[in-house]
């Protein structure tokens, strides 16, 4: 679902080849000594990824003995590329990982770091039309991707607010620009990540209402996005994995300390991005990368398990997901 949401958010951006982007100012005198790592994005570059670009540009990966290639995902997603072993690390989301962890076609992937500490997604709408709370979606047009987890999430928050989910007008999503879609009134409500689409609405001067899923029900404070790794590779290369994540941590911590400088690095690597959007998004994201925790990347087992237990309870996965499946903090330092 998140890949679809990001597709809607970012389709307007020009897709370009990512291999070798943000190559860094520090050049190794002997590239043969660097261990090759492929990192696959979930979509085109955005501020979820800034720390990786900062780590590459500032030479943190190179200092760790790594030559990191940042690539775009194949059509079937980052999970497949990482699971196949063609990439060692990538970006995913706890909800979209669920289907990859279950069934006969389960992939050998696991989350090794939380990019953000909390779920920043929710529903955006035009201001003053009553959709500042879930019950207000009754009788309104919601742009849906018709995904089971998406619809179950929306149903739960609407009903928790005393609303009737059957009264929400579910229309197929064709949204590529949230601001234009809301202004034209082709839709009334859209699921977004506030750090990108919400900031874009602010930049455009569009007055909106918004509610975050995590503020309605704690079970929806799951991890989105996360860095995933290939489980087999991780077991065979634990020290390299730790070096990669240590360098990535430095990149994200730099983005926290200097959001404008980090935004400049991201824009240099992806010049088709709107600079004002990137800068303002980066200022928002600086408080989201670590939030209240001391260690960037830490995944709270209780919160992770709570969401997968909810999926189990609602029968939204092919097979039950056991506790503590799909993540590890073992490679964080």
């Amino acid at each position: 679902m998140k890949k679809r949401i990001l597709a809607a958010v970012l389709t307007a951006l020009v897709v370009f080849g990512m291999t070798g982007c943000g190559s860094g100012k520090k050049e190794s005198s002997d590239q043969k000594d660097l261990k090759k790592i492929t990192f696959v994005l979930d979509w085109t570059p955005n501020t979820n990824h800034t720390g990786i670009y900062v780590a590459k540009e500032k030479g943190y990966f190179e200092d760790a003995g790594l030559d990191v290639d940042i690539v775009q995902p194949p059509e079937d997603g980052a999970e497949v590329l990482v699971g196949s072993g063609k990439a060692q690390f990538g970006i995913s989301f706890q909800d979209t990982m669920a289907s990859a962890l279950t069934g006969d076609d389960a992939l050998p992937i696991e989350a090794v770091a939380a990019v953000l500490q909390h779920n920043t997604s929710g529903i955006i709408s035009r201001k003053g039309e009553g959709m500042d709370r879930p019950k207000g979606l009754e009788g309104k047009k919601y742009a849906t991707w018709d995904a089971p987890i998406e619809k179950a999430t929306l149903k739960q928050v609407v009903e928790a607010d005393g609303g009737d989910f059957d009264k929400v007008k579910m229309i197929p999503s064709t949204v590529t620009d949230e601001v234009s879609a809301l202004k034209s009134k082709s839709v009334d409500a859209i699921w977004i990540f506030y750090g990108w689409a919400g900031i874009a609405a602010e930049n455009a001067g569009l007055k909106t209402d918004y509610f975050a899923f995590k503020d309605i029900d704690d079970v929806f404070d799951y991890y989105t996005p996360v860095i995933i790794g290939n489980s087999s590779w991780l077991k065979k290369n634990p020290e390299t994995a730790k070096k990669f994540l240590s360098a990535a941590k430095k990149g994200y911590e730099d983005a926290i300390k200097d959001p404008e400088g980090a935004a400049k690095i991201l824009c240099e690597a992806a010049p088709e991005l709107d600079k004002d959007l990137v800068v303002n998004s980066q200022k928002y994201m600086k408080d989201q990368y670590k939030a209240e925790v001391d260690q960037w990347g830490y995944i709270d087992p209780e919160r992770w398990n709570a969401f997968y237990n909810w999926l189990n309870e609602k029968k939204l996965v092919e097979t039950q997901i056991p506790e503590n499946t799909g993540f590890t903090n073992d490679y964080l330092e």
Side-chain angles (χ1 to χ4, degrees), residues 37-296:
I37 295 290
T38 298
F39 184 92
V40 57
L41 302 178
D42 54 290
W43 197 250
T44 48
N46 59 72
T47 48
N48 285 337
H49 314 135
T50 308
I52 301 298
Y53 284 98
V54 171
K56 188 173 177 74
E57 173 67 16
K58 292 192 173 183
Y60 297 152
F61 289 131
E62 186 178 318
D63 290 343
L66 306 175
D67 178 14
V68 176
D69 233 3
I70 304 171
V71 302
Q72 283 185 225
E75 187 174 339
D76 48 7
E79 297 85 4
V80 171
L81 200 63
V82 174
S84 70
K86 293 178 181 177
Q88 290 73 44
F89 296 99
I91 295 283
S92 186
F93 310 84
Q94 188 180 352
D95 53 347
T96 53
M97 281 181 67
S99 61
L101 296 171
T102 61
D104 295 335
D105 298 326
L107 296 172
I109 60 173
E110 56 193 316
V112 293
V115 175
L116 308 182
Q117 266 303 304
H118 297 284
N119 182 357
T120 61
S121 71
I123 300 296
I124 195 169
S125 61
R126 292 178 297 276
K127 190 169 185 64
E129 296 187 11
M131 289 168 281
D132 56 331
R133 53 184 288 185
K135 179 177 170 53
L137 294 176
E138 289 181 343
K140 303 296 185 180
K141 293 179 290 186
Y142 166 74
T144 180
W145 289 271
D146 199 31
I149 293 176
E150 171 210 11
K151 292 189 292 184
T153 299
L154 200 65
K155 183 177 192 302
Q156 181 145 320
V157 299
V158 168
E159 292 180 349
D161 194 34
D164 184 347
F165 180 67
D166 290 336
K167 292 182 179 179
V168 180
K169 296 179 180 179
M170 311 285 280
I171 64 171
S173 178
T174 57
V175 175
T176 58
D177 181 322
E178 289 78 9
V179 173
S180 296
L182 290 174
K183 282 184 174 180
S184 68
K185 299 191 177 182
S186 59
V187 297
D188 300 317
I190 309 169
W191 184 326
I192 65 162
F193 287 105
Y194 197 86
W196 194 261
I199 300 301
E202 289 182 14
N203 278 9
L206 177 65
K207 294 182 178 180
T208 62
D209 282 320
Y210 175 79
F211 64 83
F213 293 112
K214 70 177 178 61
D215 294 339
I216 308 298
D217 192 324
D218 289 344
V219 78
F220 299 126
D221 196 12
Y222 53 84
Y223 286 95
T224 173
V226 293
I227 292 176
I228 58 171
N230 179 282
S231 300
S232 300
W233 183 89
L234 290 166
K235 289 177 182 176
K236 293 176 183 176
N237 301 275
E239 294 308 312
T240 302
K242 289 177 182 178
K243 289 177 180 178
F244 173 85
L245 289 176
S246 179
K249 178 181 74 171
K250 291 179 182 177
Y252 280 101
E253 288 180 340
D254 281 3
I256 293 169
K257 295 173 186 174
D258 181 14
E260 292 193 32
K264 182 179 179 182
I265 289 173
L266 179 59
C267 287
E268 287 174 349
E272 77 281 8
L273 295 177
D274 181 315
K275 290 182 180 179
D276 288 338
L277 173 57
V278 172
V279 169
N280 289 329
S281 174
Q282 205 65 65
K283 290 177 180 178
Y284 171 88
M285 296 289 265
K286 73 180 176 63
D287 296 323
Q288 306 301 323
Y289 291 133
K290 287 173 67 174
E292 76 285 354
V293 302
D294 293 328
Q295 182 182 39
W296 173 85

